[in-house]
């Protein structure tokens, strides 16, 4: 609590808050506006495969700012590689595509590498890389990606293997989590395009979750920090996809990685890329991932997220599932020579 001092003090405070907000907005707009300069164009369709990523990762090895380490193999023998950059004391761990058919954020990660490798945004990059050390593990489930399925080659859902650790991919994730001991974690997924923001007819283009660490869904400092960063990212997405953000269900799942990683002390941010009208390849959603994740890294680096209120997190509408590819309303259906009015929802098989 701040004791009243003077109007000048308040004017100064408001000015400061406005300024920090202004600069963050400014960065976000620039990121959105210059995106095409950084988009990794070799990954322009959703069904990306492991072999497409390898030359891109090998390029990073030639840059001394990066550390690239093989940290394990999938069941079918595909390399899992951890890519680290930065010299800051705050560790941030981002992993994507533990479900093989959820590739949107993997593409965004390679856009982020292009951003880090470019010439522009020098001050922002310096702020990020001097305060943070970033660790990326893109495409944790390459065997699933190969055939565009959720599960790994053993048929295991890696995200239900956090305790038994029977999949080599899950073992790698646990080992890296323990060695990095990240302050912040980004758990990057895709969700059904049939999810909507509750009580609206808008798709949940992005859904967020500050993952719970117990059945009681308690909010400790670690979880509160994830909530604050999510509120920050929600404000960004609202600008480009108004009303199209949902809050993912926060029931505790004892077998899932996100829940356990939150329990082990990392502020865990789940991002689910959903649907967006006319964007079947999810390239606009990929762009929103790029803009919001980079902005989030910047707010974590300059600690401006700390001023955000946790209460605003609860105001984000929950996820619901009421979308269809085609909906026919008020159709007449004749049954036993009597007319009935029905609404018909149709899903299109991929
Ligand atoms: Zn998933």
């Amino acid at each position: 609590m701040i004791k009243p001092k003077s109007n000048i003090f308040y004017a100064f405070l408001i000015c400061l808050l406005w300024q920090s907000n202004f600069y963050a907005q400014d960065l976000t707009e620039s990121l959105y506006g210059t995106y095409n300069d950084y988009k990794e164009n070799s990954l322009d369709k959703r069904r990306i495969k492991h072999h497409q990523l390898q030359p891109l990762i090998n390029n990073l090895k030639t840059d001394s700012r990066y550390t690239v380490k093989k940290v394990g193999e999938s069941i079918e023998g595909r390399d899992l590689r951890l890519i680290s950059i930065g010299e800051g004391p705050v560790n941030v761990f981002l992993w994507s595509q533990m479900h093989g058919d959820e590739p949107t954020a993997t593409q965004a990660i390679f856009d982020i590498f292009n951003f880090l490798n470019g010439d522009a945004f020098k001050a922002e990059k310096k702020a990020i890389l001097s305060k943070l050390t970033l660790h990326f593990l893109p495409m944790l489930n390459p065997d699933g990606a190969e055939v565009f399925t959720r599960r790994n080659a053993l048929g295991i859902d890696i995200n239900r293997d956090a305790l038994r650790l029977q999949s080599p991919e899950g073992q790698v994730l646990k080992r890296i989590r323990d060695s990095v001991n990240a302050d912040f974690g980004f758990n990057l997924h895709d969700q059904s395009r049939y999810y909507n923001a509750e009580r609206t007819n808008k798709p949940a283009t992005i859904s967020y979750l500050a993952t719970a660490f117990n059945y009681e869904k308690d909010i400790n400092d670690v979880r509160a920090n994830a909530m604050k960063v999510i509120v920050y990212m929600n404000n960004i997405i609202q600008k480009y996809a108004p009303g199209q953000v949902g809050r993912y269900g926060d029931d505790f799942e004892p077998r899932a990685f996100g829940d356990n990683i939150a329990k082990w002390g990392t502020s865990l941010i789940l991002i689910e890329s959903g649907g967006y009208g006319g964007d079947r390849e999810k390239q606009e959603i990929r762009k929103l991932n790029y803009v919001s994740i980079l902005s989030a890294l910047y707010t974590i680096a300059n600690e401006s997220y700390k001023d955000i209120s946790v209460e605003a997190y609860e105001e984000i509408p929950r996820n619901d599932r009421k979308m269809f590819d085609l909906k026919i309303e008020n159709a007449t259906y004749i049954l036993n020579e009597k007319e009935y009015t029905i609404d018909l929802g149709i899903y299109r098989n991929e």
Side-chain angles (χ1 to χ4, degrees):
M1 178 78 89
I2 300 167
K3 287 217 172 109
K5 285 203 172 97
S6 72
N7 287 340
I8 293 169
F9 173 78
Y10 280 118
F12 173 70
L13 192 71
I14 287 164
C15 193
L16 257 182
L17 289 172
W18 181 81
Q19 265 201 338
S20 65
N21 191 38
F22 174 78
Y23 286 126
Q25 284 290 349
D26 209 30
L27 170 65
T28 297
E29 277 172 30
S30 308
L31 288 172
Y32 193 87
T34 59
Y35 174 69
N36 285 341
D37 297 343
Y38 301 101
K39 182 175 180 179
E40 178 47 57
N41 287 312
S42 67
L43 309 174
D44 63 342
K45 291 277 192 300
R46 280 186 306 146
R47 292 175 185 246
I48 52 174
K49 296 191 195 303
H50 181 263
H51 71 84
Q52 291 172 269
L53 308 185
Q54 303 319 301
L56 302 174
I57 297 175
N58 289 340
N59 282 345
L60 300 176
K61 281 169 82 173
T62 64
D63 182 337
S64 61
R65 297 177 305 154
Y66 288 94
T67 309
V68 178
K69 273 189 291 198
K70 176 177 170 177
V71 287
E73 284 182 9
S74 66
I75 286 285
E76 292 176 350
R78 295 185 175 88
D79 287 354
L80 303 175
R81 294 203 275 181
L82 183 72
I83 302 143
S84 303
I85 182 170
E87 276 130 30
V90 176
N91 284 289
V92 182
F93 180 28
L94 307 94
W95 67 97
S96 72
Q97 216 170 343
M98 66 157 66
H99 295 136
D101 55 354
E102 301 180 8
T104 305
T106 301
Q107 298 173 318
I109 285 176
F110 285 89
D111 303 336
I112 289 172
F113 291 141
N114 288 347
F115 167 85
L116 294 172
N117 299 342
D119 291 326
F121 298 101
K122 279 202 166 67
E124 290 84 358
K125 285 192 288 200
K126 194 176 170 208
I128 291 172
L129 297 178
S130 64
K131 295 282 174 55
L132 312 180
T133 302
L134 309 176
H135 308 272
F136 298 89
L137 182 39
M139 195 183 275
L140 182 67
N141 180 6
D143 300 349
E146 202 66 17
V147 288
F148 209 67
T149 58
R150 177 181 176 88
R151 293 169 182 252
N152 78 350
L154 293 174
I156 290 178
D157 181 341
I158 297 167
N159 207 26
R160 297 292 177 267
D161 193 33
L163 298 180
R164 285 214 174 123
L165 294 172
Q166 297 191 98
S167 64
E169 300 90 351
Q171 290 162 14
V172 166
L173 183 57
K174 173 75 163 77
R175 203 173 65 243
I176 301 305
R177 205 295 328 172
D178 290 348
S179 69
V180 167
N181 200 16
D183 301 279
F184 284 88
F186 286 78
N187 184 12
L188 304 170
H189 291 253
D190 282 69
Q191 67 183 0
S192 165
R193 67 181 186 275
Y194 303 122
Y195 286 166
N196 61 297
E198 192 180 44
R199 289 197 287 275
T200 76
N201 59 4
K202 297 197 168 187
T205 297
I206 299 277
S207 292
Y208 292 113
L209 174 65
T211 310
F213 60 89
N214 62 9
Y215 283 107
E216 291 73 23
K217 307 177 187 180
D218 289 334
I219 301 172
N220 58 4
D221 288 348
V222 170
R223 190 168 179 221
N225 284 341
M227 289 174 164
K228 291 174 179 186
V229 174
I230 286 172
V231 169
Y232 180 82
M233 287 192 287
N234 172 50
N235 287 336
I236 291 169
I237 303 293
Q238 291 295 345
K239 199 167 162 186
Y240 301 105
Q244 295 180 204
V245 179
R247 189 156 42 102
Y248 207 82
D250 66 349
D251 285 343
F252 181 67
E253 166 51 76
R255 302 166 299 167
F257 266 100
D259 307 59
N260 281 287
I261 288 176
K263 193 167 76 184
W264 298 325
T266 296
S267 295
L268 205 278
I269 295 160
L270 171 76
I271 302 181
E272 297 272 356
S273 294
Y276 186 91
D279 187 23
R280 208 57 197 87
E281 285 299 324
K282 300 178 82 157
Q283 296 300 296
E284 179 65 17
I285 310 176
R286 160 192 184 172
K287 180 175 173 179
L288 294 176
N289 269 264
Y290 165 86
V291 171
S292 61
I293 292 171
L294 273 175
S295 301
L297 294 176
Y298 189 57
T299 191
I300 292 171
N302 65 29
E303 300 188 13
S304 58
Y305 72 92
K306 289 185 175 173
D307 301 329
I308 296 171
S309 99
V310 167
E311 285 71 36
Y313 176 81
E314 307 284 341
E315 291 163 15
I316 302 172
R318 291 170 200 273
N319 262 12
D320 198 356
R321 190 186 167 121
K322 297 241 173 15
M323 305 292 286
F324 300 94
D325 289 307
L326 178 66
K327 192 175 170 192
I328 301 170
E329 292 182 334
N330 298 316
T332 302
Y333 182 70
I334 299 167
L335 184 67
N336 295 338
E337 294 166 19
K338 218 179 148 218
E339 285 190 356
Y340 297 88
T341 301
I342 60 168
D343 297 337
L344 200 59
I346 297 172
Y347 296 135
R348 190 175 73 179
N349 271 343
E350 188 162 345

